[in-house]
Amino acid sequence: MIMKKVKIAKFLMNILPNKPKYQEEHIVSEIFRHPKFTSLVQNEKILVQKKLVKNRIFDEMQKPFELFFPFYSFKNELKGKKILDLGCGIGGSSFCLGEKWEVSEFYGIDVSNESINTANYFLLDFKTNIQYKFIQGYAEKMPYENNFFDAIISHDTIEHVRSIKETLTECKRILKKDGVAFLVFPSFKLPFGGAHIDSVTRMPFLEWFFSPKTINEAYKEIINEWGDDLNWYKPTEETKGDWAVVKGGIGVNGTKYKDFISVAEEIGFSNISFVKIPLLYVSDTAIKYPILKFFTLFLKPLLFFDYFKDYLTQRFVFVLKK
């Protein structure tokens, strides 16, 4: 039965096929393995990396993190504070938000060495009064002291961690008393990329009808059929090892709303808030066509029911207070 479902999922994916391209405008960590990048000399690589950070800063300005928290004044609350960006990538958002919020110290941690190197190259020439520090590391075991940060932010990272429980335990440990974690990440059931399969298909809603295992198997079959020109994007042995323990999807842990709430309560956060952001409300399409926001608000009443939170949120948006 599973093989039949895999064939159906694969057939649907191939109706709207998609393949990754080398685009300096849109950063993915695999870009650092592309021949166009690896063939550059070191100075040329650094120029490309700095350009990537500038592009990411621009993206953050166009679609700011604050959109997910419409009733929170970040600058008023975080000015002069010490912040961590969990899953900072190449640091573009960190630089943008740090300057906007006028924090005192802004730290970033990410699993990708190349992404961290990129952030640090940009930092060399970045004129600022804020102290930035970027390091490679994992969410499940962060190299920071207890009660170190006033706040943690994280955007589209929590879905990738190997252990939600260990990650939230670490977040609580490194937060100061009354510190707050602002976490934004997609549900696996997000019909527009929850399973992170957009590198093979543009077909939406597959996550609603197929299990993570089925989608994962179909994804792998399609990737295995790619030619050598896409070797730069195929999973490496290191990547396979890092992702071997995820529950489903493509490098995602498949966490559902109730799963997350249960873990956060078990760990003992003093206050757990869910911000209701309807499907497409904070999306590139809605930013381009603001009228779309009006129509998405009709979905908001459904988000009072836990079942629909997995299917009809643009992102899971949580505020966790220590």
Side-chain angles (χ1 to χ4, degrees), residues 47-60:
L47 289 175
V48 170
Q49 288 170 292
K50 289 181 177 180
K51 179 182 177 182
L52 289 171
V53 178
K54 289 180 181 178
N55 289 340
R56 186 66 194 91
I57 291 174
F58 178 79
D59 290 342
E60 178 62 41

Side-chain angles (χ1 to χ4, degrees), residues 210-226:
F210 296 99
S211 71
K213 183 176 181 180
T214 297
I215 292 177
N216 198 32
E217 289 300 318
Y219 177 93
K220 287 192 293 185
E221 286 191 16
I222 292 175
I223 284 219
N224 288 335
E225 294 168 2
W226 285 349

Side-chain angles (χ1 to χ4, degrees), residues 9-160:
K10 183 179 175 183
F11 170 78
L12 293 173
M13 289 181 188
N14 284 325
I15 291 176
L16 293 175
N18 196 33
K19 289 186 177 181
K21 299 177 182 178
Y22 181 87
Q23 299 181 80
E24 293 180 5
E25 293 78 12
H26 304 289
I27 174 65
V28 292
S29 58
E30 289 83 3
I31 196 174
F32 299 122
R33 298 204 306 262
H34 195 286
K36 284 188 178 180
F37 182 82
T38 58
S39 63
L40 299 174
V41 298
Q42 185 62 15
N43 287 342
E44 292 173 331
K45 288 180 179 178
I46 292 174
L47 289 175
V48 170
Q49 288 170 292
K50 289 181 177 180
K51 179 182 177 182
L52 289 171
V53 178
K54 289 180 181 178
N55 289 340
R56 186 66 194 91
I57 291 174
F58 178 79
D59 290 342
E60 178 62 41
M61 293 172 64
Q62 297 299 112
K63 186 180 176 181
F65 185 75
E66 294 96 328
L67 289 177
F68 294 99
F69 303 89
F71 304 111
Y72 192 86
S73 177
F74 282 90
K75 184 175 180 179
N76 288 343
E77 297 294 332
L78 301 184
K79 184 176 181 179
K81 300 294 180 67
K82 187 185 298 185
I83 315 299
L84 172 67
D85 187 350
L86 175 55
C88 64
I90 60 174
S93 293
S94 304
F95 289 119
C96 183
L97 297 176
E99 301 301 310
K100 187 193 303 185
W101 298 342
E102 298 179 11
V103 305
S104 63
E105 299 176 50
F106 211 121
Y107 291 67
I109 187 170
D110 197 271
V111 299
S112 168
N113 268 316
E114 285 293 349
S115 292
I116 292 299
N117 289 340
T118 298
N120 283 321
Y121 284 137
F122 186 85
L123 181 58
L124 291 174
D125 299 324
F126 189 58
K127 300 185 186 308
T128 179
N129 294 321
I130 296 170
Q131 184 177 359
Y132 291 93
K133 293 183 181 180
F134 298 96
I135 62 168
Q136 190 275 338
Y138 292 87
E140 294 85 353
K141 192 174 182 180
M142 292 187 273
Y144 305 113
E145 299 175 3
N146 295 348
N147 309 306
F148 192 70
F149 293 104
D150 296 289
I152 296 170
I153 67 167
S154 184
H155 190 183
D156 288 359
T157 294
I158 301 300
E159 77 273 22
H160 294 294

Side-chain angles (χ1 to χ4, degrees), residues 136-192:
Q136 190 275 338
Y138 292 87
E140 294 85 353
K141 192 174 182 180
M142 292 187 273
Y144 305 113
E145 299 175 3
N146 295 348
N147 309 306
F148 192 70
F149 293 104
D150 296 289
I152 296 170
I153 67 167
S154 184
H155 190 183
D156 288 359
T157 294
I158 301 300
E159 77 273 22
H160 294 294
V161 301
R162 290 171 286 181
S163 171
I164 291 288
K165 184 175 181 178
E166 291 177 19
T167 296
L168 293 188
T169 299
E170 278 290 271
C171 287
K172 186 168 183 276
R173 178 185 67 81
I174 64 179
L175 280 171
K176 295 179 181 178
K177 182 181 178 181
D178 297 325
V180 184
F182 302 92
L183 310 179
V184 177
F185 61 101
S187 162
F188 179 81
K189 296 294 184 180
L190 175 70
F192 309 104

